Amino acid sequence: MTAEGTAVVCSGCGYRAPADEPYPFQCPGASSGDDIDHLMVRVLDPEHVSFPWDGDPNPFTRFRRLFHAYHLGLRHGMLDDEYVDLVRDLDRRVAKVDGQGFSTTPFSRADELSERAGFAPEGGIWVKDETGNVSGSHKARHLMGVMIHLLTMEWLSLAPSDRRPDLAISSCGNAALAAAVVANAAGWPLQVFVPAWADPAVLDRLVSLGARVTTCERRPGVSGDPAYHALRRAMDEGALPFSTQGPDNGLTIEGGETLAYELVTDLAAEDRAMDRLVIQVGGGALASSCIRGFEDAALLEAPVRLPRIHAVQTEGAHPLERAFRLVRERAGAEPGPSAVVDAMAYARTHRSGFMWPWESEPHSIATGIVDDETYDWAAVVGGMLATDGGPVLASEDRLREANDLARRTTGIDVDPTGSAGLAGVLSLLEEDAIGPAERIAVLFTGVRR
């Protein structure tokens, strides 16, 4: 680890990005057919970093000392005040575009929901409400973190500011809207690749924000998301990945981790722990961010433990659940920690045997979690195995039930994707897998549009 406090390392092959690399987004060691799950991960040095406990409401200034760009900036002579000014200036511009900037989102026990679900007073469901976040979902956290990094690199003259390459993202909705808001605020050109069934209202909003939108049709015999394939082609032509898929831009996880850091600080303030965190999973960046955020906090000796992780997917498309089963089978009937570590190490270097695109085009009312594959699968599978958690499949009826219950009991206008974690909780309750005194955390991640 370098003295700056952070490094960016590939979790698949161990490659370490040079300290001054302005775009440590993808592993240069990745090559087609090597079957390694290359993913650049920001790692912290606890000798030089501590967990921040101040009450700044903006997560990107509050948790700045956990960001790679911050430490790189300090090493090149950037002052703390100058970094904070850069973040606050961008946040003000985001607020001009979207009507609000970033602030800590609410996390509290949903009393009526907990009672309706049959929990005892000492247990229940705690909801982290991201529907009031920038652009109406958690996705903007990921992309704000990436944009702060890009602007810091310009400030340091490690990247040119006079010939900015295009940014590019593939998305069906919330991630694209978040990307367009943040890119517009920064004055950065953005390409957005969307599926043929994307919501026309979302497309209109993207165009109004200045994004160049390309609709991508599926082609017979070609597996995987056509919008994602188009994103990869744009990256090959020089566009920078401004996406929420970790393998394409490892630093997108940094911004998402602010959600977990907020959970850690809220739980520590109440001297409370969650028994389980039930998270909806499509591409996997949200769950990966939460797992890594709790792991970072544990590394820095924050007094909060990682809860049991459950990842929720639809019955119509569940590549993560399939990967979990395959890794679990390799680890053995009753695997110990070393067997799990060995199984995960094998899976990371034999990706095609554990994660591949779903065989047919998936459909669900929870449109945001029907990704053809779970791009950030390894961190999520590893997190579930390490915490004795596991995947949960939700039917369409259960997804509708959960969304109706969520909106009626909490007053939060969450969409079916955003309440899919609750669908997982209801399924676990039906299986008697959760006790009435357990404390369960869910994330309401997207507003109904």
Side-chain angles (χ1 to χ4, degrees):
M1 180 66 68
T2 61
E4 299 85 63
T6 61
V8 183
V9 180
C10 178
S11 63
C13 71
Y15 168 81
R16 183 190 184 94
D20 290 350
E21 169 58 52
Y23 305 138
F25 301 152
Q26 294 178 289
C27 179
S31 61
S32 60
D34 73 359
D35 217 17
I36 296 174
D37 192 62
H38 294 277
L39 174 67
M40 299 301 287
V41 177
R42 188 273 288 122
V43 293
L44 300 172
D45 182 354
E47 294 289 323
H48 298 91
V49 181
S50 58
F51 194 84
W53 295 104
D54 66 80
D56 188 333
N58 184 320
F60 292 97
T61 50
R62 181 180 190 177
F63 301 114
R64 64 189 179 276
R65 293 176 178 84
L66 305 181
F67 278 77
H68 182 62
Y70 177 82
H71 291 275
L72 187 54
L74 294 190
R75 193 170 76 82
H76 281 267
M78 191 178 201
L79 300 177
D80 178 79
D81 286 349
E82 291 171 324
Y83 183 90
V84 170
D85 286 345
L86 182 150
V87 174
R88 287 180 176 165
D89 178 65
L90 177 59
D91 190 62
R92 283 191 292 269
R93 286 185 279 161
V94 166
K96 287 183 67 174
V97 174
D98 194 60
Q100 62 182 334
F102 288 90
S103 61
T104 302
T105 55
F107 178 60
S108 62
R109 187 180 189 273
D111 293 338
E112 184 180 352
L113 174 59
S114 299
E115 183 178 347
R116 289 285 301 274
F119 282 92
E122 62 271 26
I125 300 171
W126 273 255
V127 174
K128 178 74 165 168
D129 179 13
E130 290 287 295
T131 64
N133 211 334
V134 169
S135 78
S137 80
H138 73 284
K139 297 286 189 178
R141 290 183 184 265
H142 295 277
L143 299 165
M144 183 68 166
V146 174
M147 183 56 73
I148 290 169
H149 180 90
L150 292 172
L151 295 179
T152 302
M153 296 307 100
E154 288 186 348
W155 195 98
L156 299 174
S157 298
L158 293 177
S161 58
D162 58 342
R163 54 182 188 278
R164 289 174 165 176
D166 282 0
L167 304 176
I169 185 172
S170 65
S171 166
C172 63
N174 282 337
L177 289 171
V181 165
V182 176
N184 182 288
W188 210 300
L190 174 69
Q191 300 181 52
V192 178
F193 302 99
V194 300
W197 47 265
D199 186 338
V202 170
L203 302 182
D204 289 345
R205 175 61 173 158
L206 292 173
V207 171
S208 74
L209 289 167
R212 302 201 312 276
V213 180
T214 301
T215 299
C216 305
E217 300 278 355
R218 286 188 183 269
R219 290 184 293 168
V222 178
S223 66
D225 181 357
Y228 182 68
H229 291 322
L231 166 65
R232 297 292 306 204
R233 289 192 293 271
M235 290 164 55
D236 290 342
E237 295 168 1
L240 294 178
F242 198 55
S243 67
T244 55
Q245 289 105 353
D248 297 317
N249 189 330
L251 293 189
T252 197
I253 301 303
E254 271 196 319
E257 284 187 74
T258 59
L259 190 157
Y261 299 152
E262 290 175 16
L263 289 174
V264 167
T265 54
D266 286 348
L267 291 170
E270 298 181 6
D271 192 23
R272 187 189 304 277
M274 289 291 112
D275 295 300
R276 301 173 194 257
L277 176 58
V278 186
I279 318 174
Q280 55 272 27
V281 171
L286 172 64
S288 175
S289 295
C290 288
I291 291 167
R292 292 189 189 281
F294 271 93
E295 289 175 342
D296 282 352
L299 176 70
L300 301 178
E301 299 183 345
V304 175
R305 61 175 173 79
L306 181 64
R308 294 172 74 174
I309 302 296
H310 295 277
V312 182
Q313 295 198 291
T314 71
E315 285 187 345
H318 42 94
L320 181 70
E321 182 271 341
R322 178 177 58 192
F324 178 90
R325 281 190 286 107
L326 293 170
V327 174
R328 185 70 173 74
E329 288 169 9
R330 183 169 185 84
E334 296 183 6
S338 61
V340 169
V341 169
D342 290 345
M344 285 303 306
Y346 181 88
R348 287 183 183 277
T349 54
H350 297 79
R351 186 184 195 277
S352 63
F354 296 86
M355 178 55 61
W356 62 92
W358 206 241
E359 286 73 12
S360 58
E361 182 178 5
H363 299 278
S364 175
I365 60 166
T367 56
I369 57 170
V370 288
D371 297 64
D372 289 66
E373 60 183 292
T374 305
Y375 305 99
D376 289 270
W377 66 281
V380 186
V381 169
M384 289 191 289
L385 287 169
T387 61
D388 196 26
V392 185
L393 300 186
S395 68
E396 293 302 295
D397 286 344
R398 181 55 52 79
L399 290 164
R400 291 188 183 90
E401 175 193 3
N403 186 248
D404 179 65
L405 184 63
R407 290 189 289 107
R408 282 192 292 107
T409 60
T410 69
I412 299 171
D413 197 21
V414 62
D415 68 6
T417 295
S419 60
L422 177 60
V425 175
L426 298 180
S427 295
L428 289 168
L429 286 168
E430 186 175 63
E431 298 166 7
D432 292 326
I434 293 177
E438 289 194 55
R439 297 177 295 272
I440 315 298
V442 297
L443 313 172
F444 285 2
T445 53
V447 70
R448 197 164 55 127
R449 303 185 191 278

